[in-house]
Amino acid sequence: MNAPNPGTTLPAIRPLFLDQPEAGLFVVRQTEQGKKQPAGPSITITSYRSELQLKKSLPPIDQKEFRLSLQKAEGVGSEQLGLQEWFPTEKGSELVLAFNPVKMINAKDCAFLGAGEDVPQVWSDCERFYACLKGGKEMDTLLVAAAIVRKPPPYVTFFRLLFERDRGVYGSPEVCRAAGSYLGDAQIPPLERRKAVALYMPAPQSRDAAALSELAGGMMSLIVHLQGADQGPSAVAVLQRLHSFFYDQKEGRYRIAAPAADEKRLNAVRMLAGAPGTPLEEKMRGSLLQWLGGKR
């Protein structure tokens, strides 16, 4: 069932979605449960065989039916086995995978992107990401910037795909400005923005000071929003990211002056950096306080 049909669009040589050439929105048609086997004193592994129907794919392919084997574990410590607990087995369930249609045999060979109520947002991010590919190959930085600021805003999946595909886009001033706008947008849940910057944004390589300042300003606004949502540890994580993004280790100074347009925001970030209970290395704390105080 998994051999490509005549006329199937073959996967691109270079992966597009994480380490895979395709992204697909699937629905579970049926799942057969196999044997249960003990894997230790408190862990049981169950095998499954699932039939999937491909509803949408990027790039489009002709094949629509696939069969996947998978395993799930139960018991104390089962999550450490790295099996496919994320795979929904109920008939009619939807999920989004990055996959290779000619190697679509075992779920462990796919990359899980989302399932359940997250499917609409995750698939929208896949479409948004794919639309930024110039000629289906390289990322267009202007399209990336436009995709980041478009409403509704992207889900964190967009930044995950972008991070794995081409981190160099953050060398573009337009992308830096767009990222700053996204991170400072109070309409987007602060933990969503925190996840994007903490996990899927690299240090920007742009030399445009104004664009870098907008990115830093967005990160500072996010810190304030996280504090307001009683997410102190996440605020500290973004503060540490702020330092690593803009502090030049070789030069021993920050690449830009601290954005000072919003004095209330600046003071809030300064207070967090200087608070005795904020878990920062003292050298980082001192550098941040100097920077936020107007020195580089």
Side-chain angles (χ1 to χ4, degrees):
M1 180 181 291
N2 291 3
N5 295 325
T8 296
T9 302
L10 294 177
I13 295 176
R14 184 178 179 185
L16 298 179
F17 298 89
L18 306 181
D19 60 346
Q20 305 288 350
E22 295 278 339
L25 170 56
F26 295 89
V27 61
V28 177
R29 297 181 64 181
Q30 68 175 37
T31 301
E32 299 175 357
Q33 181 176 319
K35 295 181 179 180
K36 289 188 176 184
Q37 298 180 333
S42 60
I43 299 177
T44 301
I45 296 178
T46 305
S47 298
Y48 296 87
R49 186 73 170 169
S50 186
E51 292 185 9
L52 302 178
Q53 182 176 15
L54 180 63
K55 296 178 66 177
K56 300 177 182 179
S57 61
L58 294 169
I61 60 174
D62 295 333
Q63 187 176 352
K64 301 303 179 186
E65 295 184 355
F66 296 88
R67 292 179 66 92
L68 281 182
S69 58
L70 61 131
Q71 291 181 313
K72 295 189 176 190
E74 297 176 309
V76 179
S78 60
E79 67 281 355
Q80 299 178 8
L81 297 179
L83 300 182
Q84 295 81 52
E85 277 73 30
W86 47 263
F87 197 105
T89 55
E90 297 80 8
K91 182 177 180 180
S93 299
E94 292 186 334
L95 69 160
V96 181
L97 300 174
F99 70 105
N100 187 332
V102 300
K103 298 180 180 178
M104 189 75 162
I105 298 172
N106 196 303
K108 68 180 182 180
D109 297 321
C110 305
F112 175 69
L113 296 176
E117 61 183 15
D118 290 336
V119 163
Q121 291 175 307
V122 170
W123 185 250
S124 175
D125 269 14
C126 290
E127 293 178 318
R128 191 182 302 225
F129 168 80
Y130 188 69
C132 294
L133 288 167
K134 186 188 301 181
K137 296 179 180 180
E138 305 299 329
M139 303 303 299
D140 185 312
T141 55
L142 294 179
L143 292 177
V144 170
I148 291 174
V149 298
R150 187 185 313 148
K151 302 297 181 183
Y155 199 52
V156 72
T157 302
F158 175 86
F159 295 100
R160 179 186 176 191
L161 294 171
L162 186 62
F163 182 77
E164 293 296 337
R165 174 66 181 183
D166 186 1
R167 301 171 197 183
V169 297
Y170 289 96
S172 160
E174 291 80 11
V175 173
C176 286
R177 290 190 180 95
S181 176
Y182 171 87
L183 294 175
D185 189 343
Q187 301 302 311
I188 304 170
L191 287 178
E192 178 80 5
R193 289 177 279 151
R194 180 264 182 199
K195 187 183 295 184
V197 70
L199 297 179
Y200 302 123
M201 287 187 188
Q205 299 304 310
S206 173
R207 296 178 179 272
D208 188 309
L212 293 176
S213 183
E214 290 187 40
L215 175 57
M219 295 177 72
M220 291 170 65
S221 292
L222 173 56
I223 290 169
V224 174
H225 297 160
L226 286 165
Q227 287 181 291
D230 295 324
Q231 297 293 335
S234 289
V236 173
V238 178
L239 181 63
Q240 294 170 328
R241 200 73 167 156
L242 181 70
H243 172 79
S244 68
F245 272 20
F246 299 103
Y247 186 78
D248 189 320
Q249 296 288 347
K250 292 183 179 180
E251 296 290 332
R253 64 199 297 264
Y254 285 88
R255 299 164 60 191
I256 57 170
D262 187 332
E263 191 66 23
K264 182 177 180 181
R265 178 188 65 185
L266 186 63
N267 286 335
V269 177
R270 187 186 295 126
M271 288 181 62
L272 176 63
T278 301
L280 295 174
E281 295 180 0
E282 287 308 310
K283 184 177 180 180
M284 182 187 297
R285 187 193 307 275
S287 296
L288 278 167
L289 289 174
Q290 286 189 350
W291 183 57
L292 294 167
K295 299 180 181 180
R296 289 172 62 183

